[in-house]
Amino acid sequence: MKITRISVYQVDLPLKYPYWLSGGRLKFEMLDATLVKIETDAGLIGWGEGTPWGHTYLPAHGGGIRAGLALLAPHLIGLDPRSPEAVSRIMDVQLPGHPYVKSAVDVACWDILGQSAGMPIWQLLGGEADQQVLINSSISTGSPQDMLALIQAAADKGYTVHSAKVGGTDVALDIERIDTISAAVPAGHKITFDVNRAWQPAVAIEVLNSVSARDWVEQPCETLAQCAHVAGRVSNPIMLDECMSGFEDHLHAWKLGACEGVKVKPNRLGGLTRARQVRDFGVSVGWQLHVEDVGGSVLADTAALHLAASTAAPNRLASWLCHDHLSVDLAPGQGVRNQGGHVELPNQPGLGVVPEADLLEEPVAVYS
């Protein structure tokens, strides 16, 4: 089987409501999505998606994906997509770094591999049948009362796990946010306080040693070294996210004792192939893992949750659905959907999501 054509689509994904994180310094209203369609000489077609969470969240942007694909695509024509690891190695030779460019291609290859094998991706990755995956809400930064209202709205949809965005320079306000939310959250619900790298180490230590909550705290500072410094001086378990760009970062974090868990995001790591390597390492060292993607439609969410569903239950925390925040749906009725705070993975071979053709414009580039 050979790749014969690669089509690239650009899609704007507007959010239902403006979204603030990192203490309110970062605001998001529209995501720039890139969808990749890979066709083969066997008639099988695979889909993948790369959607950065804006251009201020990570060193990634939508235009960069499409520019990178223009360099990679000519080297992918003629390859067998049923060997995602081989395709990944060739992409790394032709374009070192830039993992977010490669993720959509990698996912599309896994989609074709699953269809060829007659198996859903979660099964190819070692998952058990009928796995349900817990999902968490994502709560935009605001006043404590505004954030509690968003948590209650999420609870009304069945969510029992929430990621509350805090952080900034106002120490008193962050202490108030954390204490107020911790005291008022519905019984039985769990909270992660996500700082999105907004605190300086001294602020992180002051805030976390002032609040009563001992819930997860995610990415308190900008760098891995700063987060490791904080982790040794607070009682909260630390989750790392934005500073974890590749396998070496995860290995270094483990050596430093910098965290008790990490976010595993295929788009940031280069696709399911690289994300699986990081996931397996995290399981082997006893970390707990949130497996989800950086952003995107139900296509990107479903790809990431195939990996989540194949992750050992003792190591698996909740996953996030970005498409719950969007005002458009590229594949109505398909893929992972909130079912009272959890999702069930598709049983169709491959990814189990095909975008509706009439919801896409003409491709911005075609390589054959």
Side-chain angles (χ1 to χ4, degrees):
M1 186 185 301
K2 306 296 182 185
I3 296 173
T4 57
R5 182 187 299 264
I6 301 174
S7 302
V8 180
Y9 300 81
Q10 189 279 326
V11 184
D12 287 333
L13 300 177
L15 275 63
K16 295 174 185 175
Y17 309 104
Y19 190 98
W20 287 267
L21 55 75
S22 197
R25 67 191 178 109
L26 302 181
K27 179 183 179 183
F28 305 91
E29 298 181 274
M30 178 86 73
L31 305 182
D32 181 356
T34 301
L35 272 62
V36 171
K37 177 184 179 183
I38 293 182
E39 300 175 62
T40 68
D41 59 1
L44 296 182
I45 296 173
W47 285 90
E49 176 184 351
T51 303
W53 186 250
H55 58 270
T56 57
Y57 174 66
L58 290 172
H61 62 105
I65 293 178
R66 296 183 289 276
L69 289 171
L71 297 173
L72 289 175
H75 301 281
L76 304 178
I77 302 298
L79 298 183
D80 190 332
R82 296 172 299 176
S83 299
E85 291 190 3
V87 172
S88 183
R89 288 194 295 268
I90 289 170
M91 289 194 290
D92 286 345
V93 169
Q94 298 301 328
L95 183 65
H98 302 278
Y100 75 104
V101 172
K102 304 164 186 174
S103 178
V105 171
D106 182 77
V107 169
C109 288
W110 277 96
D111 188 11
I112 293 169
L113 174 59
Q115 293 175 53
S116 177
M119 300 166 65
I121 292 175
W122 59 259
Q123 192 172 19
L124 291 175
L125 295 172
E128 300 178 23
D130 302 319
Q131 278 287 308
Q132 292 185 341
V133 177
L134 193 68
I135 53 175
N136 63 260
S137 73
S138 188
I139 306 301
S140 176
T141 294
S143 71
Q145 292 71 31
D146 288 342
M147 295 179 73
L148 279 173
L150 292 173
I151 290 171
Q152 185 57 57
D156 292 341
K157 296 180 180 180
Y159 287 99
T160 59
V161 183
H162 311 276
S163 175
K165 305 297 183 177
V166 298
T169 58
D170 191 332
V171 172
L173 179 56
D174 267 335
I175 292 173
E176 181 186 1
R177 284 181 179 128
I178 294 172
D179 282 342
T180 301
I181 291 171
S182 297
V185 71
H189 288 225
K190 295 182 178 180
I191 299 284
T192 292
F193 292 102
D194 189 358
V195 188
N196 291 112
R197 69 187 193 274
W199 284 336
Q200 295 297 315
V203 173
I205 293 167
E206 180 179 0
V207 171
L208 297 180
N209 285 328
S210 299
V211 299
S212 58
R214 290 296 174 259
D215 304 288
W216 284 96
V217 172
E218 184 177 332
Q219 196 67 39
C221 305
E222 183 77 33
T223 69
L224 174 55
Q226 290 171 339
C227 291
H229 177 84
V230 170
R233 291 161 175 81
V234 300
S235 299
N236 302 76
I238 299 297
M239 175 75 54
L240 295 182
D241 184 3
E242 292 98 313
C243 66
M244 309 296 276
S245 299
F247 184 85
E248 288 294 324
D249 293 323
H250 293 79
L251 180 60
H252 190 38
W254 173 68
K255 289 179 177 178
L256 289 174
C259 62
E260 285 71 43
V262 297
K263 288 282 183 76
V264 180
K265 297 180 175 178
N267 183 248
R268 183 181 62 207
L269 296 169
L272 291 171
T273 300
R274 299 295 186 229
R276 179 179 62 169
Q277 295 171 349
V278 167
R279 186 276 309 270
D280 290 347
F281 173 75
V283 170
S284 72
V285 298
W287 282 345
Q288 291 188 288
L289 312 167
H290 286 280
V291 183
E292 60 195 40
D293 220 333
V294 176
S297 75
V298 68
L299 193 156
D301 285 339
T302 302
L305 267 75
H306 276 288
L307 181 62
S310 69
T311 300
N315 301 88
R316 185 180 68 224
L317 298 176
S319 300
W320 171 59
L321 299 181
C322 179
H323 76 259
D324 252 5
H325 295 262
L326 304 178
S327 61
V328 298
D329 190 346
L330 300 183
Q334 301 182 55
V336 290
R337 304 283 171 168
N338 178 21
Q339 300 179 26
H342 69 270
V343 301
E344 294 182 0
L345 273 294
N347 283 311
Q348 303 100 302
L351 181 63
V353 179
V354 178
E356 296 285 349
D358 58 354
L359 298 178
L360 301 179
E361 302 289 342
E362 290 298 310
V364 296
V366 177
Y367 308 94
S368 61

